[in-house]
Amino acid sequence: MKILVVGSGGREHALAWKLLQSSEVERVFCVPGNGGTATLNRCENISLAVDDFALISNFALKEEINLVVVGPEVPLAQGITDYLQSQGLKVFGPNKAGAQIEASKVWAKTLMQEAKIPIANSAVFNRAAPAKSYIKDHELPIVIKADGLAAGKGVTVATTRNQAVEAVEAIFRGQFGGAGEFVIVEECLIGQEVSVLALTDGLTIRPLLPAQDHKRIGEGDTGENTGGMGAYAPAPIATVNLMERVQKQVLDRTINALRARNIDYRGVLYAGLMINPSGEFKVLEFNCRFGDPETQVILPLLETPLEELMLACVEQRLEQMPPIEWKQGACATVVAASGGYPGVYETGKVITGIAQAEAAGATVFHAGTILNQQLITDGGRVLNVTGIGENFEQALGLAYAGIEQINFEGMYYRRDIGYQVKG
Ligand code: AMP
Ligand code: GLY
């Protein structure tokens, strides 16, 4: 079987790596891939833009690709699935209508309200003045969200009213690109976040192991929000009981609500949850794709061949699949980022020590790297140094032993990934 993976992050490297572990998968192509997928055995990078659907389709048809797996949200929201399907290709990833669940927070909120999914109190505004008066009447901290895709930068957790008002003004000034028509003002939830990624064929929905991300740039969960600085799985805070409630109150209700809108959703539904200290949860957001870096800690623990699960989703026979099997143990990843990320950073720095990190027992998934004779940095999040072990102590130990071997100018990483699960 030949598979095409669309995207260039750590998530896509992990997807390609996992898919290639199956004896059924002969070859994986990545569009455009990164320095990691360039050197992976039986994997090849194809230098096409992820939004050039016609060229991607031509390539996939010429190579007789059996399955296209779409990593990032932007091409999904632009309708890559609809286009490739119309050309006769099999695609894992929702169509444009389904991708709205991530691409429009207002659309997703309406769906969640109608489906009676537990969410924070919130209000939507299309003008600044009423949003500001709502802020005046509500408690701090308060959360301000832009509608639309804003690469993780559309949310402000404001601790002062001034900060909240500034966030509202910035959104209506169009600071988040197209995402400037609506503002959501939302109650601030406290607790621990958990990412529940689930596979669905539009009828049946099954969760993968729950994972915990570390969104903030600084140790102790301080500073700016990022795409994610590290993760681990399975997250013990998501107990069996909690996962049963999530299945009933979130996953099943969402699939039913999508069907009621005639949306045939096949791919990953990612629910970002906040679990409060008494064990109650609310949904913060949905994503229409695999999480990054969550995927890098979930897939190493997966026993069932990934392409079998994906094809069952695409061919709408997930219900007939046996339960998903998992390895015992734990997985953790630490992100090595460029100095200055999530703000301004430089690229083009030479990366050393990956072979030594792997010799120390870590698995290294590349994110922002390119192979240009030498391996050099090419993005904010550069590497995901991953440990797979019998328990968290071992997994985290391997990840940190690995990252200590790696170096590039300005490299930054959090030294406290997994502090919630350390003995
Ligand atoms: P979202 O894109 O809605 O997930 O928001 C990105 C991040 O902002 C989340 O992962 C949380 O860390 C934070 N966030 C979003 N909504 C809330 C909320 N209501 N209360 C507290 N934090 C939030
Ligand atoms: N790690 C958060 C995300 O993928 O959205």
Side-chain angles (χ1 to χ4, degrees):
M1 185 186 301
K2 290 198 226 172
I3 301 181
L4 178 73
V5 174
V6 176
S8 60
R11 167 182 54 207
E12 286 76 22
H13 186 181
L15 284 165
W17 171 88
K18 188 73 208 179
L19 287 164
L20 282 163
Q21 285 178 0
S22 166
S23 55
E24 295 296 314
V25 178
E26 308 152 41
R27 235 179 139 57
V28 170
F29 297 93
C30 287
V31 169
N34 60 31
T37 53
T39 47
L40 194 59
N41 221 352
R42 293 183 287 126
C43 185
E44 190 182 326
N45 284 352
I46 305 298
S47 176
L48 295 173
V50 299
D51 59 359
D52 201 334
F53 303 163
L55 287 183
I56 293 174
S57 169
N58 290 347
F59 174 82
L61 292 169
K62 185 179 77 112
E63 286 291 336
E64 298 180 353
I65 294 290
N66 305 92
L67 175 67
V68 180
V69 177
V70 184
E73 63 278 14
V74 170
L76 290 168
Q78 290 170 340
I80 190 170
T81 299
D82 311 61
Y83 184 87
L84 297 180
Q85 277 175 347
S86 75
Q87 304 301 304
L89 291 158
K90 286 188 180 169
V91 188
F92 180 86
N95 56 20
K96 187 172 180 174
Q100 288 180 93
I101 205 154
E102 173 167 4
S104 168
K105 288 190 192 292
V106 174
W107 190 89
K109 273 269 180 232
T110 312
L111 179 138
M112 288 193 271
Q113 271 156 357
E114 287 174 14
K116 303 202 164 23
I117 289 166
I119 50 176
N121 292 322
S122 66
V124 179
F125 300 96
N126 61 2
R127 286 185 309 118
K132 290 182 195 171
S133 75
Y134 183 94
I135 289 167
K136 237 191 261 153
D137 295 340
H138 285 79
E139 265 177 53
L140 291 171
I142 195 158
V143 181
I144 313 297
K145 297 184 175 184
D147 193 31
L149 296 176
K153 297 195 177 118
V155 176
T156 304
V157 180
T159 48
T160 66
R161 289 192 212 285
N162 267 350
Q163 198 191 354
V165 165
E166 273 168 29
V168 167
E169 286 173 350
I171 291 169
F172 284 123
R173 270 202 307 275
Q175 210 147 308
F176 301 99
E181 257 179 80
F182 295 101
V183 161
I184 299 177
V185 184
E186 183 170 292
E187 163 198 12
C188 185
L189 301 175
I190 52 149
Q192 280 196 47
E193 284 183 56
V194 166
S195 306
V196 177
L197 280 60
L199 301 180
T200 180
D201 62 1
L203 302 173
T204 300
I205 182 158
R206 293 202 188 160
L208 302 176
L209 289 181
Q212 189 153 34
D213 188 7
H214 297 62
K215 290 246 160 82
R216 305 295 191 96
I217 187 70
E219 282 155 24
D221 297 324
T222 54
E224 279 182 88
N225 254 330
T226 70
M229 295 303 295
Y232 60 81
I237 188 166
T239 58
V240 172
N241 174 282
L242 183 115
M243 291 298 283
E244 280 170 6
R245 285 183 282 147
V246 170
Q247 178 79 45
K248 286 202 191 97
Q249 297 173 22
V250 181
L251 304 180
D252 292 343
R253 289 181 190 173
T254 306
I255 285 305
N256 290 339
L258 288 166
R259 284 178 68 193
R261 286 164 168 72
N262 280 323
I263 293 174
D264 184 3
Y265 191 109
R266 304 184 195 192
V268 172
L269 179 72
Y270 161 150
L273 310 178
M274 184 74 89
I275 304 177
N276 77 11
S278 23
E280 285 150 16
F281 71 85
K282 287 188 173 157
V283 177
L284 291 175
E285 65 164 341
F286 282 126
N287 294 319
C288 63
R289 50 165 175 89
F290 283 102
D292 186 343
E294 290 92 329
T295 304
Q296 292 88 306
V297 293
I298 294 171
L299 294 185
L301 298 173
L302 179 66
E303 286 276 18
T304 308
L306 179 58
E307 89 289 351
E308 280 182 19
L309 292 167
M310 289 177 157
L311 281 170
C313 289
V314 171
E315 294 165 358
Q316 209 160 62
R317 47 179 178 74
L318 190 58
E319 195 182 8
Q320 289 127 52
M321 288 290 286
I324 301 175
E325 283 181 43
W326 299 99
K327 290 187 180 53
Q328 291 296 316
C331 187
T333 194
V334 181
V335 172
S338 298
Y341 173 82
V344 182
Y345 55 82
E346 292 175 8
T347 58
K349 311 293 184 194
V350 175
I351 304 166
T352 59
I354 295 200
Q356 289 83 343
E358 293 191 324
T363 301
V364 181
F365 296 120
H366 294 224
T369 76
I370 43 173
L371 191 61
N372 194 352
Q373 285 158 346
Q374 285 173 304
L375 186 70
I376 57 175
T377 67
D378 189 41
R381 292 190 291 171
V382 178
L383 298 168
N384 306 117
V385 186
T386 307
I388 307 160
E390 281 170 21
N391 50 41
F392 284 117
E393 199 185 339
Q394 224 181 52
L396 288 160
L398 289 170
Y400 277 106
I403 209 164
E404 278 160 21
Q405 299 296 319
I406 294 175
N407 195 35
F408 55 85
E409 192 189 316
M411 172 169 126
Y412 166 80
Y413 61 92
R414 274 180 64 168
R415 296 178 196 251
D416 68 340
I417 299 304
Y419 70 87
Q420 305 92 331
V421 289
K422 272 196 192 144

